[in-house]
Amino acid sequence: MENIRFHTSLLPTFSGIQSHLESFILSINEFYDLYFNTSEDQKKVAVAAIKSKLTENAREFLLSRSDLNSWPAIREALRQKFGDPITYQTLVQQLQYFKINKNENILEFVDRVKSFIQRIFAKIQCEVADERAKVILISQVEQTSVLILTANSPQTLKTMLMLQLPKTLDDAFKYVVNY
């Protein structure tokens, strides 16, 4: 039981902020897989530990739902209540239409694209079960984000990116910084 208490202290909390949900779920899934396969007492402690990591709006939501007594039920309810309602496919379509704003510099644009693709990555983690498919989809999103950056770059940077062919937005960002 001492292990479970220590591990619980390392878990993140979730307050209801949409952008934090999937990383919270990933952490709790690992904890759940580790501690929910033993005695009934330990299973109860594990669920109580998970519930204790919900704060603010998420805690209020849980308190209003007495039917949520297992991690799978809690996870599904959290996704329904606090999750991103937009699907992976819709987000990827939105990425296709990203344009640099009138008063936005290229570094600000890269930050905006990075934030948006993190949202897409979270959706991939949530919606896609197959690990190989996740890797492929993430790679495709990375390639698309580099194309979007290239298309929105000043001519000199655009040429540099077209010659260097970076595979990820982070790789392309190095050229943006040098530019």
Side-chain angles (χ1 to χ4, degrees), residues 105-151:
N105 68 43
I106 196 71
L107 292 172
E108 293 167 334
F109 179 70
V110 171
D111 283 343
R112 189 162 55 93
V113 173
K114 278 184 175 183
S115 293
F116 195 78
I117 67 170
Q118 289 306 316
R119 185 176 170 196
I120 295 172
F121 292 164
K123 286 306 268 186
I124 290 170
Q125 294 297 331
C126 171
E127 293 180 5
V128 179
D130 181 83
E131 290 301 318
R132 222 174 106 226
K134 285 180 186 181
V135 170
I136 292 167
L137 291 173
I138 287 171
S139 175
Q140 289 173 343
V141 170
E142 284 279 12
Q143 290 170 0
T144 300
S145 66
V146 170
L147 291 173
I148 298 300
L149 172 61
T150 303

Side-chain angles (χ1 to χ4, degrees), residues 165-177:
L165 298 171
K167 298 219 181 310
T168 68
L169 192 58
D170 285 337
D171 291 343
F173 184 68
K174 294 170 189 166
Y175 297 107
V176 172
V177 170

Side-chain angles (χ1 to χ4, degrees), residues 51-66:
K51 287 181 175 183
S52 76
K53 293 302 176 174
L54 298 174
T55 63
E56 300 174 28
N57 292 340
R59 180 128 187 101
E60 289 176 28
F61 171 70
L62 182 66
L63 291 173
S64 72
R65 296 283 308 270
S66 60

